[in-house]
Amino acid sequence: PTPGPPGPPPPPAYGGVQAQPLSKVQLSFSCKDLVDMDVMSKSDPQVYVFELGAAGARRELGRTECIKNNLNPQFAQSIMVDYYFERSQRLLVAVVDVDSKAKGFAAQDLLGEVEVTLGNIVSSSEPPAMKLTKKLRRHDKADRGTVTIVAEEVGDTNVELTLQLGGVKLAKKDLFGGSDPFCVISRQREDNSWVKVRQTEVIKKNLNPVWKPIVCPLAAIAAGDMDRLLKFEVFDWDRSSPPDLIGECTASLSDMQSQPSWPLVDPNNKKKKKKDVGTLVVKRLSTQRVDSFLDYVRAGYEFNLMVAVDFTASNGRPDTPTSLHFINPYQQNQYQSALQSVGEVLLEYDSDKRVPAYGFGAKLPPANKVSHCFALNHNPQYPEVAGIAGLQAAYASAVQTCTLHGPTNFRRILETAGAVAQAFKNTYLVLLIITDGVISDFDATVAEIVKLSHMPVSIVIVGVGGANFDAMEQLDGDDGVLKDVKGNRAVRDCVQFVAFREVQANPPLIASATLAELPDQFMAWAKMSGTKPPT
């Protein structure tokens, strides 16, 4: 499928006050009778949810996990959505067959999609309340199966739950072995129906498993309510057939705090004398309030912008109208639009409004040597410029004075970003790289990004022009952990890539597209590093 441009940003400010969501709604998904796209096995479905805007614009709100070989999947990963009563929130729910984990939505096979509004879901009269089932379509063909969307309002999202479960003396289900157990957690809704919220990993051939701790918002498991009833189902995984239920129990998190052991019952056993199928045990259960992104902003944490502009020859001669660097006094080029849009948002959180601005891939006077990291203002000792006006002026000056060359190397720019990030306290650096081409030093770039994942840095890459940006998509960690040639892994996702052509019809949306992941990336770094809001 072909992704459209990112969709609408949050509702505009009115009277100087940003519109606030009425509440947060958690969307859960299941599908039935999906189309089988794989030859040797069943489809591997995954759900993507986009918010739709004008002129085909779309913004990804989230995605579920991928479930292997299943045409009737029930997804555990839910998607949290801000609910605005006063706004029609059009959503596109797309179900894909995952063929390539290394690439995003556009690389997968579309099984079917449907457009709904959040209002349709929360006001649905389909029992139970806030549940909507729709037929999936693809190219106007309706027989693509169905998707069921269940919405639930959630409470405080700043309470973090840690829950670790285990099993004791689980029943054997395999003929020549023990069992391969995993646990599914479901939450009871107000109408007494159940919605799947989490699933543990499978532990092979073990009747006394201890699963990895689940660490997530309390809202994701229990809708923010410690007394909400949960169902715990322990299954035996099978490679070639549906899993077998070993046993189940129901309890709230409050119940589990006072009683750590819960006998499992096999609901399929109709005999008067119930067979012992094992015990579910609570190894760890704790909650804590965690700081939110706004807690850091309120406490004065700053977000500093650093810019790097591509001056390689593939941009075209700046004195020709077809060049990506052509300066038109009546209309901004793509580089200028990206600088303007992203800069206007980030400089609101920067007290001195000064931006370190660099270029790469050009020959500089008077030595006429290629530089892969030079100051746009030609002052290497003080490369900062004042605000958006200073940024645009420095860029226009560099276009006139340097000679476009190449290759497209990112390593020096990334090294400089790391040095800048380590020089300041209570600041988080956002590096904006605007480029038109394929990276020449890809392996070195990956190695530097892996290093930067440990630092207070996010990297926003905007691709301009019509080049193939597949390599850029690989740097974006949405679909897997980035790993360098030595096997070192990024400890978090710190890269966001957007192709400018996808938002060209509405350039101001470049900011919402490029900065959508920034709060989550910042919070991942803050948690990893133990950084608290400044006092």
Side-chain angles (χ1 to χ4, degrees):
T2 303
Y14 176 75
V17 178
Q18 184 71 38
Q20 295 298 315
L22 182 65
S23 62
K24 283 188 176 292
V25 172
Q26 184 173 269
L27 302 180
S28 302
F29 300 88
S30 60
C31 298
K32 282 189 176 182
D33 303 323
L34 294 178
V35 176
D36 195 352
M37 299 286 282
D38 296 339
V39 177
M40 303 300 292
S41 62
K42 295 182 174 66
S43 294
D44 304 327
Q46 182 178 27
V47 175
Y48 283 74
V49 178
F50 300 91
E51 183 172 10
L52 299 178
R58 64 172 65 173
R59 176 170 66 100
E60 184 181 333
L61 298 179
R63 64 188 77 170
T64 68
E65 77 277 18
C66 169
I67 295 182
K68 293 283 189 179
N69 301 322
N70 196 324
L71 302 182
N72 299 284
Q74 185 176 4
F75 299 96
Q77 181 64 49
S78 57
I79 296 171
M80 208 78 73
V81 179
D82 287 332
Y83 171 54
Y84 297 88
F85 176 77
E86 71 280 7
R87 174 183 171 200
S88 177
Q89 292 173 264
R90 295 168 54 224
L91 306 179
L92 179 70
V93 178
V95 183
V96 300
D97 174 30
V98 176
D99 287 326
S100 173
K101 287 187 177 181
K103 297 181 179 179
F105 176 76
Q108 317 307 336
D109 292 327
L110 180 65
L111 295 176
E113 60 187 16
V114 63
E115 183 180 329
V116 297
T117 69
L118 192 54
N120 291 154
I121 301 169
V122 300
S123 63
S124 173
S125 58
E126 178 181 342
M130 296 206 296
K131 173 184 175 183
L132 185 66
T133 300
K134 301 288 284 185
K135 290 183 178 180
L136 294 167
R137 296 176 176 272
R138 181 170 181 259
H139 307 313
D140 294 327
K141 294 181 179 179
D143 297 328
R144 311 292 295 185
T146 63
V147 60
T148 297
I149 310 163
V150 176
E152 191 163 15
E153 187 175 13
V154 299
D156 188 356
T157 59
N158 291 337
V159 177
E160 182 180 81
L161 169 71
T162 299
L163 175 64
Q164 186 173 28
L165 301 172
V168 175
K169 296 182 180 179
L170 299 180
K172 294 182 180 180
K173 288 291 185 177
D174 296 339
L175 185 61
F176 298 106
S179 288
D180 304 324
F182 67 94
C183 183
V184 172
I185 306 174
S186 300
R187 178 177 66 238
Q188 189 176 51
R189 303 179 73 237
E190 293 181 0
D191 60 359
N192 297 325
S193 63
W194 297 95
V195 57
K196 180 180 175 182
V197 292
R198 276 297 183 277
Q199 178 174 314
T200 70
E201 77 279 13
V202 175
I203 297 182
K204 297 289 188 69
K205 299 180 180 179
N206 194 326
L207 301 181
N208 298 282
V210 177
W211 293 289
K212 294 178 182 177
I214 296 169
V215 181
C216 65
L218 177 62
I221 296 289
D225 181 3
M226 291 290 289
D227 294 320
R228 178 68 68 94
L229 192 63
L230 304 175
K231 180 165 63 175
F232 300 85
E233 299 170 291
V234 179
F235 290 90
D236 172 40
W237 174 83
D238 290 309
R239 182 181 299 276
S240 56
S241 61
D244 297 317
L245 178 65
I246 295 174
E248 64 181 37
C249 65
T250 57
S252 69
L253 294 174
S254 293
D255 294 334
M256 288 185 148
Q257 284 181 319
S258 58
Q259 179 182 328
S261 297
W262 293 82
L264 294 171
V265 175
D266 181 0
N268 300 317
N269 184 357
K270 305 301 182 182
K271 298 179 181 178
K272 290 184 178 180
K273 185 177 180 180
K274 300 295 185 182
K275 181 181 178 182
D276 182 14
V277 293
T279 303
L280 183 75
V281 294
V282 181
K283 294 292 186 179
R284 183 181 174 190
L285 197 167
S286 62
T287 60
Q288 63 174 348
R289 191 189 184 282
V290 294
D291 298 307
S292 70
F293 180 73
L294 285 179
D295 288 332
Y296 289 86
V297 174
R298 291 190 194 102
Y301 217 94
E302 293 198 10
F303 293 82
N304 291 347
L305 175 65
M306 172 178 162
V307 166
V309 177
D310 183 335
F311 284 93
T312 56
S314 54
N315 284 280
R317 287 178 48 184
D319 58 348
T320 61
T322 56
S323 171
L324 292 169
H325 282 306
F326 181 70
I327 305 294
N328 184 336
Y330 304 106
Q331 183 178 9
Q332 289 184 333
N333 63 33
Q334 293 184 23
Y335 283 95
Q336 292 170 313
S337 291
L339 292 172
Q340 187 85 21
S341 300
V342 177
E344 284 178 345
V345 173
L346 285 178
L347 289 183
E348 291 296 318
Y349 303 96
D350 187 340
S351 60
D352 68 3
K353 307 289 191 280
R354 301 195 67 84
V355 182
Y358 296 90
F360 60 93
K363 287 184 175 181
L364 305 180
N368 209 34
K369 290 184 178 180
V370 176
S371 173
H372 297 297
C373 184
F374 61 90
L376 291 187
N377 64 1
H378 309 295
N379 185 347
Q381 278 69 47
Y382 195 73
E384 293 186 340
V385 298
I388 299 297
L391 193 55
Q392 296 285 18
Y395 163 71
S397 174
V399 168
Q400 302 301 322
T401 56
C402 68
T403 302
L404 307 192
H405 200 267
T408 306
N409 290 351
F410 282 6
R411 181 177 63 85
R412 285 289 310 282
I413 289 291
L414 296 173
E415 288 176 339
T416 302
V420 171
Q422 292 176 313
F424 298 97
K425 290 184 178 181
N426 294 337
T427 61
Y428 189 87
L429 183 69
V430 181
L431 170 61
L432 171 63
I433 301 176
I434 313 175
T435 181
D436 84 312
V438 178
I439 304 172
S440 302
D441 60 343
F442 186 80
D443 289 343
T445 292
V446 171
E448 290 302 320
I449 292 174
V450 169
K451 294 177 186 176
L452 289 175
S453 71
H454 294 265
M455 303 181 195
V457 178
S458 281
I459 304 159
V460 173
I461 304 174
V462 177
V464 297
N468 185 328
F469 292 120
D470 283 350
M472 302 296 184
E473 295 279 7
Q474 294 178 42
L475 298 180
D476 194 324
D478 287 345
D479 297 289
V481 177
L482 197 64
K483 183 170 63 175
D484 68 19
V485 293
K486 295 181 180 179
N488 299 312
R489 293 173 176 265
V491 294
R492 64 185 177 96
D493 175 21
C494 63
V495 179
Q496 171 75 348
F497 171 75
V498 173
F500 189 89
R501 58 178 174 252
E502 294 179 359
V503 292
Q504 196 161 11
N506 195 349
L509 291 180
I510 189 71
S512 62
T514 54
L515 301 178
E517 294 184 9
L518 180 58
D520 287 342
Q521 291 180 357
F522 171 81
M523 292 305 297
W525 170 79
K527 182 176 181 180
M528 176 195 74
S529 63
T531 300
K532 306 295 289 183
T535 55

